[in-house]
Amino acid sequence: MDLIISVLGILTLLLEGISCQGVYAPPTVRIVHSGHACNVEEERHAERVYTIREGETLELTCLVTGHPRPQIRWTKTAGSVSDRFQDSSVFNETLHITKIQRHQGGRYYCKAENGLGSPAIKSIRVDVYFLDDPVVTVHQSVGEAKEQFYYERTVFLRCMANSNPPVRYSWHRGRDVLSQGSDKGVEIYEPFFTQGETKILKLKNLRPQDYANYSCIASVRNVCGISDRNIVFKLTNKTVSPSIKLLVEDPIVVNPGQTVSLVCITTGGEPKPTLSWVSSSDRLPEKSVVKGGTLTLPAITSDEAGVYSCVATNNVGNPAKKSTTIVVRAMKKGRFWITPDPYHNDDNIQIGREVKISCQVEATPPEELTFGWLKNGRALRSSERMVITQTDPDTSPGTTNLDIIDLKFTDFGTYTCVAALKGGGIPEISIDVNISSTTVPPLFFSFLVPPNLTVPRGKSPLVVQEGDTVELECLVSGKPKPIILWSRADKEAPMPDGTLQVESYDGVLRIVNVSREMTGSYRCQTSQFNGFNVKPREAVVELIVQYPPSVEPVSLEMRQGLGRPVAINCRVLRAHPSRVLRYEWRLGNRLLHAGHFDQSDETEYTVKSLNREGWGEYTCDIINEAGAGRCTFLVTGKAYPPEFYYDTYSPLWQNRPRVYGFKLQWTQMNPNAVDRIVAYRLGIRQMGQQRWWEQEITVEGTITKGELITHNLTELIKPEAYEVRLTPITRFGEGDSTIRIITYSAPVNPHLREFHCSFEEEPICMFTQDKNDDFDWTRHSAATRDTKYTPNTGPSGDRSGSKQGFYMYIETSRPRKEGEVARLVSPFFNVAPKNPYGITNPPAYCFGFFFHMYGKHIGTLNALLRQKGQAATEGPTWSLSGNQGDHWKQAKVSIHPTASFQVVLEGIRGPGIEGDIAIDDVTLEEGECRDLPAINLRSAAPSTSAHIRLLSVTLAMTFRWGHR
């Protein structure tokens, strides 16, 4: 019978356990993001990478489920002291880092646990992108040239910029782009481990033209919207590394509170060096003042002692550095010990024996330390029975000993050790030692009263509220009175000041602005009792910090359309005290609902059907004795921002001589989250202008997710850029706007439906300079005319007459010579065969361009055709020589390639410097040329030079007539 009862009891317990277990659930967790992400990638093996620009706000939220409510903790890879988060972030569901810095990148883990099963852990990698200003440093080497008796001077310009992702560098000398092979006196290092990114410019055997302005451009290819950075260094024949001199002694010994000035001057260096000060403690004191080369330290303290260095840099060679040491006089509290120790059971001090009293003081500088001894307040001198020694070689530095030979009753009294520094300004330190008789036989000398340690009544446990100032107290007695050491007793955690142990001379530990993490047990303990072998005393004080509830979400925006339900939920993470929690829901200042928590740790408020009055800010206050925690929900019908589509095929849909049109395309983010979008407000303004032009774009029907919406922008002025703003509109009103920049770029279409290049952009439509010619074509604008400008030749504006517009030209000033050639080569254009066996009937294309040939020394401009897999053509497809007047004129020629091809524009230098030739608005269109200029010269009909000159004259006359 007893066995049956026992079995039934076990079954009952098991069933109760199963029924209770159904109430609980282990934690689950996932990480969602908001804030200013550039990109969020879902990589293989569930690897998530969150890319953010330095200085933006990082916000990661840990969404958890489970009952009881799991505790959430954020940690970081290889978490060190420097990686600690602020207290408000560590245990919250949301990790919020304002103005994130590069060192804060890494892997972040969200850990949730509630005691059931294993903790749930998810992670995300945060990659912080940045680009610092580049720094150019210059070094030179002098080496003997092989088998020759002269020295060559080689200079290295190194450009370095801290960045993430890796940076790409480019070099310029003045306006000229420097590249490997472009100049025989220049080498550009392209180390394989930098993936071909150049950074070191080597100038071999310096020449006069090498003394110039060099600019280094650092780029991360506009990743994350980070623009390029530029630095300029001027190299002259006077460039030299810095040298400096310190006008101070070394070391400098001062008293605390004294003002110290360190003076540093430059004695050489070009460019003029920049002076700065650094200290051995990594950073200068906060109150220090730096003015030029002078560093002033007002009211110096012992903590500010150390090595201070003046550093001069001008980015040439190595920085110059001179240092001096500041020594601040100081003395720390001394200690004493007695030999033999009266508290050793087997070694008591007795009449007639020798007694040694030792006194030790730590001092800076130690060589200035002096000692004196007093007996009952009167100076004591060394004698045969009272031997005084200083800095005993057998003891620690800064020690003095008083040896009493053959102890007598007359030696009873108070002995005082007095320590001082020779320089003055530091208070003396004195230590008293009492030697007295006792009635306990045999006769001993009593030197101290053992310490005692207690906690005052009512001081433990100590209950305070977060943010208060609290004093933990231990009463200590004894002679001499020992120092009290405070530490955490319940866990290995630092004290509020970050150290593991805090000293107190009065037994009181004062904590300002106490936080919830400081709850726990604190141990007070006596320190070493002045060298005596006395067992330390200790006591424990309990500190309980009450704090308002921590809730989630702290802030959340919810978007919803009219007539739809909205459910908002506020959860308690932690609270102390956790009993008697109540909640209050409000919309604005209006109370919606209030109540008390029972078993649940969350409260929910539901709007069954949202109306216009239901939009606004909802708050939920969860309240305990210490205060309230608040969840805030902004319920709005505002539409999400549109997302511009940047991969539009051929966005330049209209391309007339002076204006262009742009095809704008976008999708709508979460279009079904709110009411139907009825229109978009389009704003557009020219870059650099203040005024916005606005219009509404009506939307018919409902926009679906991912649907591509198109709108054509017309009559945009070449080559201006525009800022476009797009705002969705619903019954609620305006939603979130999105802005993008529209930049004019001449269309590049290798399929030849239309190719037009006006050279307005730096890439010049993928044209390249021929590597086998004598010099290069130059991209130019009349608004930025350089010092090589030669009058009576070259255009005064681009083909449209704009001084801001760009064109290409050949510069014929020195060192160019007659007959030298510059070739500009187009990208490859594909010719698709109409049958698989090749092209039997070659298609026709019309190649056109505008040219400007003005000046009495004009040479020749040729247009050539290069075909893939074929030798170069024997003669030009088009050619013209001589002065054609100060006008832009057009040339067109039909070509019939049979394979992928390039067109080449070749400029040949004439007999003098007034021979600049310019080209602009190069076009290539399918079909034969129509409306040809009066004269064309084709390679199919080679001409003599006399024939070419005759054609040139006729063409010039035709255009002068047309101009009239």
Side-chain angles (χ1 to χ4, degrees):
M1 189 67 179
D2 292 340
L3 179 61
I4 294 172
I5 293 172
S6 300
V7 171
L8 288 174
I10 292 171
L11 288 173
T12 303
L13 289 173
L14 287 172
L15 290 172
E16 287 177 355
I18 292 169
S19 63
C20 291
Q21 187 68 22
V23 178
Y24 301 104
T28 66
V29 60
R30 65 189 181 96
I31 296 175
V32 298
H33 59 85
S34 57
H36 298 80
C38 299
N39 190 25
V40 179
E41 298 178 6
E42 305 286 345
E43 296 184 353
R44 295 181 180 179
H45 312 297
E47 168 86 328
R48 304 185 70 206
V49 182
Y50 181 101
T51 306
I52 187 170
R53 184 171 57 194
E54 186 173 46
E56 301 286 7
T57 298
L58 171 71
E59 197 165 277
L60 301 175
T61 302
C62 208
L63 300 183
V64 298
T65 63
H67 190 81
R69 178 70 183 166
Q71 288 274 351
I72 302 173
R73 181 177 178 85
W74 282 97
T75 57
K76 186 169 181 281
T77 308
S80 61
V81 174
S82 62
D83 288 331
R84 287 179 186 162
F85 311 135
Q86 296 180 359
D87 296 335
S88 61
S89 300
V90 176
F91 292 99
N92 253 350
E93 76 157 5
T94 300
L95 173 64
H96 187 91
I97 302 178
T98 305
K99 295 183 178 179
I100 190 168
Q101 299 302 303
R102 60 196 66 178
H103 68 270
Q104 293 172 302
R107 181 171 300 283
Y108 287 83
Y109 293 87
C110 175
K111 179 179 179 182
E113 54 184 336
N114 63 356
L116 297 177
S118 301
I121 301 176
K122 290 289 184 183
S123 70
I124 188 169
R125 197 178 88 217
V126 176
D127 202 1
V128 181
Y129 278 2
F130 59 90
L131 173 61
D132 289 343
D133 288 330
V135 176
V136 171
T137 56
V138 182
H139 298 268
Q140 77 174 38
S141 66
V142 179
E144 186 175 356
K146 184 181 272 188
E147 299 177 356
Q148 295 186 31
F149 295 97
Y150 70 91
Y151 289 88
E152 68 171 4
R153 183 177 172 193
T154 299
V155 170
F156 300 86
L157 279 74
R158 180 187 298 270
C159 184
M160 292 293 292
N162 294 323
S163 76
N164 182 28
V167 72
R168 177 180 61 193
Y169 302 92
S170 60
W171 284 98
H172 293 70
R173 176 196 280 139
R175 296 177 179 273
D176 298 330
V177 178
L178 294 178
S179 58
Q180 185 67 15
S182 64
D183 186 327
K184 293 180 180 179
V186 171
E187 285 186 17
I188 298 179
Y189 285 76
E190 298 183 351
F192 69 92
F193 51 82
T194 61
Q195 301 176 357
E197 295 164 348
T198 63
K199 60 179 178 181
I200 301 175
L201 178 67
K202 179 180 179 182
L203 305 176
K204 301 180 294 183
N205 196 12
L206 282 180
R207 306 160 300 177
Q209 62 264 36
D210 291 330
Y211 296 114
N213 287 338
Y214 292 86
S215 57
C216 171
I217 300 174
S219 171
V220 291
R221 297 165 280 286
N222 203 27
V223 172
C224 238
I226 300 174
S227 57
D228 296 350
R229 301 293 180 91
N230 183 30
I231 186 70
V232 177
F233 186 89
K234 183 177 182 180
L235 183 68
T236 71
N237 57 1
K238 296 181 180 179
T239 300
V240 68
S241 56
S243 58
I244 56 175
K245 183 178 181 180
L246 273 184
L247 304 181
V248 293
E249 297 178 356
D250 183 33
I252 304 172
V253 182
V254 296
N255 291 327
Q258 189 174 332
T259 296
V260 181
S261 292
L262 307 179
V263 180
C264 176
I265 61 172
T266 59
T267 57
E270 175 68 30
K272 186 178 180 181
T274 300
L275 296 177
S276 61
W277 285 90
V278 295
S279 80
S280 54
S281 60
D282 295 333
R283 59 180 181 179
L284 297 174
E286 291 183 3
K287 60 185 179 182
S288 62
V289 178
V290 178
K291 188 175 182 181
T294 302
L295 169 66
T296 303
L297 304 171
I300 196 166
T301 65
S302 297
D303 293 337
E304 295 166 356
V307 178
Y308 288 80
S309 302
C310 175
V311 180
T313 179
N314 63 353
N315 292 346
V316 180
N318 296 318
K321 184 176 181 180
K322 296 283 186 179
S323 303
T324 186
T325 303
I326 298 180
V327 179
V328 180
R329 294 187 178 94
M331 285 195 296
K332 295 184 179 178
K333 191 169 182 65
R335 67 187 187 97
F336 75 86
W337 63 93
I338 299 174
T339 308
D341 188 334
Y343 273 75
H344 283 205
N345 295 330
D346 56 351
D347 196 9
N348 297 317
I349 299 175
Q350 299 178 357
I351 294 293
R353 295 188 58 180
E354 178 182 345
V355 176
K356 178 188 283 188
I357 305 173
S358 300
C359 172
Q360 185 183 51
V361 172
E362 294 181 25
T364 303
E367 61 270 15
E368 291 188 0
L369 185 63
T370 61
F371 287 104
W373 283 93
L374 304 177
K375 179 183 178 183
N376 296 327
R378 300 182 66 181
L380 188 65
R381 294 184 178 182
S382 187
S383 64
E384 290 183 358
R385 217 169 52 82
M386 298 275 187
V387 180
I388 299 173
T389 58
Q390 290 195 23
T391 314
D392 191 327
D394 296 331
T395 59
S396 302
T399 306
T400 182
N401 298 318
L402 172 62
D403 283 302
I404 305 177
I405 312 298
D406 187 17
L407 187 66
K408 303 180 182 297
F409 285 105
T410 56
D411 295 328
F412 292 170
T414 299
Y415 291 84
T416 304
C417 164
V418 180
L421 286 175
K422 293 179 182 177
I426 306 296
E428 296 178 339
I429 289 179
S430 61
I431 303 171
D432 293 339
V433 181
N434 293 314
I435 298 180
S436 59
S437 61
T438 178
T439 57
V440 178
L443 184 61
F444 299 100
F445 292 158
S446 174
F447 296 94
L448 54 84
V449 176
N452 188 34
L453 202 61
T454 58
V455 177
R457 180 176 297 179
K459 290 290 187 176
S460 181
L462 200 60
V463 181
V464 297
Q465 291 197 356
E466 193 169 40
D468 288 351
T469 295
V470 61
E471 290 186 347
L472 309 185
E473 186 176 358
C474 284
L475 296 178
V476 60
S477 61
K479 188 174 182 181
K481 194 175 182 180
I483 297 172
I484 299 302
L485 303 177
W486 285 93
S487 61
R488 298 292 289 262
D490 54 344
K491 51 188 172 182
E492 292 185 4
M495 296 292 283
D497 66 351
T499 61
L500 293 176
Q501 211 171 52
V502 175
E503 288 187 354
S504 170
Y505 291 93
D506 58 0
V508 175
L509 175 64
R510 191 168 188 266
I511 304 174
V512 179
N513 193 21
V514 67
S515 67
R516 62 194 70 182
E517 283 73 27
M518 297 177 190
T519 295
S521 301
Y522 290 78
R523 179 189 294 112
C524 60
Q525 186 178 34
T526 57
S527 64
Q528 185 182 14
F529 201 52
N530 275 327
F532 291 108
N533 187 20
V534 178
K535 182 180 180 181
R537 274 55 167 179
E538 66 177 46
V540 174
V541 177
E542 294 290 337
L543 175 64
I544 299 173
V545 181
Q546 294 183 343
Y547 54 89
S550 293
V551 298
E552 65 173 4
V554 175
S555 179
L556 183 66
E557 182 179 15
M558 303 182 68
R559 308 192 185 205
Q560 189 61 280
L562 293 173
R564 302 180 190 177
V566 178
I568 46 183
N569 185 287
C570 186
R571 297 176 290 278
V572 182
L573 297 177
R574 296 184 302 160
H576 190 86
S578 58
R579 63 185 185 279
V580 197
L581 289 176
R582 56 191 179 90
Y583 58 85
E584 294 179 353
W585 283 98
R586 297 178 183 273
L587 173 57
N589 295 322
R590 179 163 58 95
L591 181 65
L592 301 174
H593 183 53
H596 290 82
F597 283 94
D598 298 322
Q599 301 297 323
S600 175
D601 57 1
E602 59 185 43
T603 172
E604 184 174 273
Y605 184 79
T606 302
V607 180
K608 294 182 180 179
S609 179
L610 190 66
N611 56 27
R612 292 186 178 275
E613 288 72 27
W615 281 324
E617 186 176 84
Y618 291 77
T619 57
C620 174
D621 290 333
I622 299 180
I623 307 162
N624 67 358
E625 296 175 18
R630 169 169 289 186
C631 295
T632 301
F633 304 87
L634 180 61
V635 178
T636 173
K638 180 189 292 188
Y640 285 96
E643 298 174 308
F644 282 113
Y645 186 67
Y646 285 85
D647 297 328
T648 305
Y649 176 75
S650 188
L652 197 72
W653 67 276
Q654 177 197 63
N655 192 30
R656 303 208 303 271
R658 294 185 180 274
V659 298
Y660 68 102
F662 195 91
K663 184 183 296 182
L664 201 64
Q665 291 187 298
W666 69 91
T667 58
Q668 177 60 46
M669 183 190 295
N670 299 335
N672 300 321
V674 295
D675 287 319
R676 184 178 77 84
I677 294 171
V678 297
Y680 285 94
R681 176 165 289 114
L682 173 70
I684 184 170
R685 67 177 176 185
Q686 188 174 319
M687 294 298 292
Q689 302 295 323
Q690 297 295 323
R691 184 173 181 181
W692 286 89
W693 298 92
E694 292 190 334
Q695 69 177 97
E696 282 201 1
I697 304 171
T698 304
V699 175
E700 301 294 340
T702 301
I703 299 172
T704 59
K705 188 173 183 179
E707 178 183 347
L708 200 60
I709 308 166
T710 300
H711 179 77
N712 289 332
L713 303 175
T714 61
E715 302 301 318
L716 305 180
I717 301 170
K718 287 184 181 179
E720 303 296 340
Y722 291 84
E723 189 174 7
V724 177
R725 181 177 62 202
L726 201 60
T727 309
I729 301 172
T730 64
R731 285 191 291 174
F732 172 84
E734 292 190 356
D736 289 337
S737 301
T738 302
I739 292 179
R740 73 164 292 183
I741 305 298
I742 301 297
T743 304
Y744 173 73
S745 180
V748 177
N749 188 342
H751 298 290
L752 300 185
R753 297 182 188 281
E754 179 187 80
F755 176 86
H756 176 215
C757 183
S758 58
F759 305 109
E760 297 301 329
E761 302 294 329
E762 182 63 41
I764 59 173
C765 316
M766 299 191 293
F767 273 87
T768 56
Q769 308 281 356
D770 192 327
K771 296 182 179 179
N772 298 317
D773 57 6
D774 301 308
F775 66 107
D776 289 342
W777 287 81
T778 303
R779 178 173 172 267
H780 192 59
S781 167
T784 57
R785 197 181 295 277
D786 62 16
T787 55
K788 282 189 174 183
Y789 168 64
T790 305
N792 304 318
T793 188
S796 58
D798 73 353
R799 201 274 302 177
S800 67
S802 169
K803 290 188 179 297
Q804 279 72 37
F806 284 84
Y807 54 88
M808 302 295 290
Y809 85 109
I810 60 169
E811 173 58 61
T812 57
S813 299
R814 294 181 181 87
R816 300 278 71 86
K817 298 177 182 178
E818 184 175 5
E820 288 188 333
V821 176
R823 297 189 190 95
L824 192 65
V825 185
S826 78
F828 268 102
F829 297 102
N830 299 322
V831 177
K834 297 183 179 178
N835 64 69
Y837 304 104
I839 298 176
T840 56
N841 186 20
Y845 300 99
C846 181
F847 173 45
F849 57 91
F850 282 82
F851 62 88
H852 188 282
M853 300 170 68
Y854 168 57
K856 63 182 179 181
H857 299 140
I858 291 292
T860 301
L861 176 62
N862 294 325
L864 303 98
L865 177 67
R866 284 183 184 175
Q867 301 194 61
K868 196 169 185 180
Q870 300 181 22
T873 55
E874 294 182 358
T877 301
W878 183 98
S879 181
L880 190 61
S881 302
N883 185 0
Q884 304 299 318
D886 191 8
H887 309 290
W888 282 97
K889 303 173 183 181
Q890 188 179 26
K892 285 186 178 181
V893 59
S894 294
I895 55 176
H896 303 83
T898 58
S900 296
F901 67 95
Q902 296 170 290
V903 290
V904 182
L905 288 161
E906 179 183 74
I908 303 175
R909 203 257 196 187
I913 63 172
E914 295 182 17
D916 295 352
I917 299 174
I919 58 170
D920 200 1
D921 284 342
V922 178
T923 59
L924 196 61
E925 301 173 351
E926 292 183 346
E928 296 280 354
C929 291
R930 300 179 180 179
D931 302 325
L932 289 173
I935 293 175
N936 264 304
L937 177 66
R938 302 172 187 268
S939 61
S943 301
T944 64
S945 58
H947 186 197
I948 294 174
R949 285 195 295 272
L950 177 61
L951 291 176
S952 302
V953 173
T954 307
L955 182 60
M957 290 175 63
T958 302
F959 275 101
R960 280 195 287 271
W961 176 84
H963 181 69
R964 293 190 187 96

